[in-house]
Amino acid sequence: ALFGVIIEEQVENVNGWHHEVRLFHVSDAKDGTHLASLYLDPFRRRFKNTGEFTLPLITGGSASNTGPVVCISCNIKTPTWDSDPAYLTLDDTVAIFHEYGHALNLMLTNVECGSFSGAQNVEDDASEFVSQLMEYWIFEDKFLPVIAKNPSTGEPIPSEDIAKMKDERVLRKGREVLHRIALGQLELELLSGFDPKGDESIIGLQRRLAQEYLPPVDIPPKSDISMLQQIFVSNANGHYASQYRYLYSELMSSDAFEAFRDVGFQNEQGMKNIGEKFRKAILNVGSSASSECAFESFGGSPLS
């Protein structure tokens, strides 16, 4: 119970929108108070939105005396037979932990107005803070063997495989950072100094910045405008000049996870204490306080 909560599944009378949907209830570990409910829609299927996302079905808020109801939708491959286990790729696992971070933001909020619950109105720079923090747990040597096991023998994942995954994560993160920088710079130039009547076309601008920031293997071909599409879609959804937000959230999550690591993962009481501190300082306040103030309240100092 890292954040001082207990999660229990409701097996009967789920009343979900599909028979594969599962329902969980979150309660306070100290007094058993019901805090929130979580629907998990894990598998891909026809006509279902692709990708992974988290949605508030009912926002919390003490003014309405309503507990939050949240949905996590994933894109895991459905088992061939009902008796078969569901195999998760590493990407599936990362996605679940990431979305669970968003769900924690929504479920453990403790504010009067529901619109301030979770990260709904938090600054864009910090909107991915908790979700990226949760990803760190997957790659800890002591944690991954607990959830990654051979379904036939029960043997935990070998240490050499863990080492390979951690090396691959470092490589992927490096490329991801470069991609974010390229996107951020492209968006800033589009929204500020780009002249559509000038000598450089919008496609030429994308290619120049891609060549400047991305490794050769990641430079899109001339016919590929996916970087521009990503920015236009983001702008259309109301997120302007926000491509840098993942980078700032990454800094926040890295700093916060170091606080857990400093306590020591084997220190059970210490982990509970800092988990409850994180819940009180970050998760409870939602977007009712600035991310800067909330982070300083948790860490005791500004972001390093």
Side-chain angles (χ1 to χ4, degrees), residues 74-240:
C74 299
N75 196 36
I76 300 169
K77 183 179 179 181
T78 307
T80 304
W81 304 103
D82 291 341
S83 58
D84 290 345
Y87 292 98
L88 275 65
T89 66
L90 180 59
D91 286 343
D92 288 334
T93 307
V94 171
I96 288 178
F97 274 70
H98 182 97
E99 296 306 326
Y100 182 61
H102 286 307
L104 283 173
N105 253 330
L106 291 163
M107 294 190 297
L108 300 188
T109 190
N110 185 18
V111 295
E112 290 189 4
C113 182
S115 62
F116 287 99
S117 64
Q120 296 180 94
N121 287 303
V122 79
E123 304 91 326
D124 268 358
D125 289 3
S127 60
E128 300 292 329
F129 167 31
V130 181
S131 56
Q132 290 183 341
L133 171 70
M134 295 306 298
E135 294 180 22
Y136 278 90
W137 295 99
I138 302 171
F139 298 93
E140 287 300 313
D141 293 339
K142 301 294 183 182
F143 182 74
L144 191 55
V146 176
I147 63 171
K149 297 182 179 181
N150 186 306
S152 300
T153 66
E155 289 293 318
I157 185 172
S159 57
E160 55 268 24
D161 288 345
I162 295 178
K164 291 178 182 177
M165 285 192 292
K166 293 174 75 172
D167 288 343
E168 191 272 342
R169 174 173 167 80
V170 171
L171 174 62
R172 180 183 295 194
K173 276 294 180 181
R175 294 170 66 179
E176 184 180 297
V177 167
L178 292 174
H179 184 71
R180 294 292 179 194
I181 293 174
L183 277 175
Q185 192 61 34
L186 176 59
E187 183 174 42
L188 289 179
E189 293 208 21
L190 283 172
L191 297 178
S192 57
F194 177 69
D195 180 5
K197 297 181 180 179
D199 295 333
E200 186 177 44
S201 69
I202 192 171
I203 306 299
L205 174 64
Q206 175 190 270
R207 186 156 186 82
R208 173 170 63 81
L209 293 176
Q211 291 174 332
E212 182 175 350
Y213 292 105
L214 299 181
V217 68
D218 290 335
I219 296 176
K222 293 181 179 180
S223 59
D224 186 333
I225 59 170
S226 57
M227 293 175 65
L228 290 167
Q229 286 176 321
Q230 186 170 344
I231 291 171
F232 293 152
V233 169
S234 179
N235 287 181
N237 289 329
H239 298 290
Y240 301 101

Side-chain angles (χ1 to χ4, degrees), residues 10-25:
Q10 177 179 324
V11 179
E12 298 180 354
N13 301 319
V14 173
N15 294 324
W17 50 91
H18 191 272
H19 71 271
E20 294 172 344
V21 173
R22 301 169 66 178
L23 175 61
F24 300 85
H25 298 293

Side-chain angles (χ1 to χ4, degrees), residues 2-5 28 30 104-105 108-111 260 272-286 288-289 293-295 297-299:
L2 179 62
F3 300 114
V5 298
D28 189 278
K30 290 182 179 179
L104 283 173
N105 253 330
L108 300 188
T109 190
N110 185 18
V111 295
F260 286 91
K272 286 183 178 180
N273 291 341
I274 195 167
E276 292 184 7
K277 183 180 181 182
F278 186 86
R279 173 182 169 184
K280 181 178 179 180
I282 304 294
L283 300 175
N284 281 172
V285 301
S288 65
C293 291
F295 188 90
S297 176
F298 167 69

